[in-house]
Each structure stands twice: as structure tokens, then as C-alpha cells.
Amino acid sequence: MTMPRKGSRLIGVDGTAFRWRIRHKPTYHQGNGWSPLTVTVERAAEPGCVLVVSLPCARPDNWLGERTIAVRPALVAGCVRRAIEQGWNPGRPGSAFTLTIAEDELAALLGEPPQYLIPFLWGMIPEGGGIEDLPRCTEIRSRDEQHTSRAPSDP
């Protein structure tokens, strides 16, 4: 099994170049929040066994607004190191190696506590944040609120 190159990003981990990728669109189960966010990783030169990392949160584009995290290179590098410790050999051909990350392991892999995000209609709200934390939203109006820019109609 090889990973598609399109949409992948390069990362160097302990002197070895890897490619990592998150699936472009969610599967039906990922969209519903039934399956976790997954990241695939393989060695950039002479790919062998693919690493599939299962993270303890939903995809950012899930349909139900389940909490998520931003997958950054530091997290991917930590997962690669953890998988190698657990026996993943990226140069050996064969079926995929699965690494399941528990929520309490995220802080050690990231080097800091995870910052969860909650998908919202106009963007992502940090967990515990509010509407003022949305980057693109400046004003919310009720549907019942009348538009004052139009002249009232004559009876």
C-alpha cells in the first residue's frame, strides 16, 4: 500500500524525510464523527510500510461540530517517533502499521497541552471560547430583525 503523493507534505524526522497526508474529504463515518481523524505517513524516498495514525478527535470538517485539533508538523513528528518505538519499520514493505493515540498522550506528542477547536458555521472556535473568537464574524443579526436600510412601505 502506498500513499497518494498529491496533497501530501514533507517533514524531516531525525534525519529522515517523510510525507504525511490527511484525506482530502471525510469518509461518511468521519463526517458523522463516528471515526476519528487519521493521518497517513510514509518515507519520502523509497516508501515502504505506511503508518496510519488515529487521533482522539474528529476531523475539522465533520458535519456535527465535534471538537478537533489542528494537525501540525510537531504532532506528526511525535507520532512518527512513537510508531518507530512501537515497531514500525518505514522501509519494510507490507501492510499498514496502525498507531492509535489516546487523548492523554497528545500533550507529550505536541510538547504542550492540545488546543481543541470546535467547528462553527463561520470558522473554528477554541474550546471554551465564544462567538467573539471567530475570525470572520463581526456581527450576528436575528432573522426577525428588520432591515433599517429600506424605506418603510406606505399603507
Side-chain angles (χ1 to χ4, degrees), residues 85-98:
E85 289 171 5
Q86 293 185 8
W88 176 49
N89 183 350
R92 176 188 53 83
S95 58
F97 184 92
T98 303

Side-chain angles (χ1 to χ4, degrees), residues 23 25 27 39 41 46 76 79 99 102 114-116 122 127 131 144 146:
R23 183 183 168 98
K25 291 184 179 181
T27 64
V39 179
V41 183
E46 301 175 17
V76 175
C79 291
L99 177 68
Q115 296 177 0
Y116 291 102
W122 298 290
E127 188 176 45
I131 201 79
D144 299 330
Q146 291 187 2

Side-chain angles (χ1 to χ4, degrees), residues 26-34 58-66 119:
T27 64
Y28 182 74
H29 284 250
Q30 288 173 333
N32 280 311
W34 301 333
R59 286 177 55 101
D61 54 357
N62 75 82
W63 307 322
L64 301 177
E66 298 289 329

Side-chain angles (χ1 to χ4, degrees), residues 3 8-14 16-22 37-43 51-53 55 69-84 88 99 101 106 108-111:
M3 185 179 82
S8 67
R9 297 180 63 187
L10 285 173
I11 185 173
V13 180
D14 301 331
T16 304
F18 291 92
R19 289 191 176 282
W20 65 279
R21 181 178 193 271
I22 297 174
L37 172 61
T38 57
V39 179
T40 55
V41 183
E42 73 178 1
R43 204 165 61 171
L51 170 64
V52 178
V53 180
L55 297 170
I69 60 172
V71 178
R72 290 182 260 157
L75 176 59
V76 175
C79 291
V80 167
R81 289 184 187 103
R82 174 76 50 91
I84 290 172
W88 176 49
L99 177 68
I101 302 297
L106 280 177
L109 293 172
L110 287 167

